[in-house]
Amino acid sequence: MESIQKDLKQSEEYLLQSGDPIQLAKTRLEQTRTALRTGDQKAAKELARLSWKGFSGYGDIFYPDDLRYLLIAEGDYVAEGGSKDELIDVFMYMIQDLVPTSDIDQLLERTVAATNRFFGAERGGIFWFDEKQNTNTPLLRAGHNLSQNDIESSEFKTSLKLIESSFQKNCPMVERFNKRNVFKSQLKAALCVPFGKPKVQGVLYHDNSYVNDCFND
């Protein structure tokens, strides 16, 4: 890890000299991930903000969803320099792509992508519970960085239980996993939000593998 940090620091110094803001911002993104892996939250937040500024208006194109929560401090969306009320505006901006479409699967995928960015999650999915199947096992209707192979893996069993519990109790849930292992394959936090009226039909799910305090209750 020290050698990686050293290489990234050297890359940062070279890019500062060459004056390439986009590549410098990308390097700082990798420095942000390294800081998270070593538990340095303060450095991660500062690097996250520097990388956002470096994209100079192209943040929505280049900035990864799973690190956006670092741009939110004390309820304010730092990237936009806005207030708590403007957080809703940020969300509305993200779902502008949800135009009417005859393709329901495409609409659901766009919805997950929008909420994934809003919550600062790494992955997301809409899980549907079909009463006709007489089972509590949900169907993945749409996913963002989340596939059928992912949810069938043994690593996703804990998340499935959380999704099922959120559905059965009709209650939003935030789960923080206290694990020492900080590699990407190990989840740190998960969020579940049931939806449907008058009866719950599914659960919106998001997770993050880097830190366990990315979702606010």
Side-chain angles (χ1 to χ4, degrees), residues 112 115-116 119 121 123-125 189-192 204-208 215:
V112 177
T115 56
N116 198 75
F119 287 117
R123 305 185 302 183
L191 167 71
C192 290
L204 175 65
Y205 169 86
H206 289 291
D207 65 30
N208 192 297
F215 302 128

Side-chain angles (χ1 to χ4, degrees), residues 71-82:
L71 303 174
I72 300 175
E74 298 180 358
D76 294 339
Y77 195 70
V78 178
E80 299 293 335

Side-chain angles (χ1 to χ4, degrees), residues 79-138:
E80 299 293 335
S83 65
K84 295 178 181 178
D85 292 337
E86 289 178 334
L87 193 60
I88 301 302
D89 294 333
V90 174
F91 178 67
M92 294 305 297
Y93 172 78
M94 290 174 184
I95 63 173
Q96 284 179 358
D97 285 339
L98 305 185
V99 294
T101 173
S102 58
D103 188 340
I104 184 63
D105 290 331
Q106 184 181 46
L107 179 61
L108 291 176
E109 288 174 2
R110 290 177 179 178
T111 301
V112 177
T115 56
N116 198 75
R117 175 171 293 185
F118 178 69
F119 287 117
E122 184 180 2
R123 305 185 302 183
I126 290 179
F127 287 84
W128 201 265
F129 289 79
D130 191 345
E131 293 182 345
K132 297 179 181 179
Q133 293 182 347
N134 294 320
T135 176
N136 287 329
T137 302

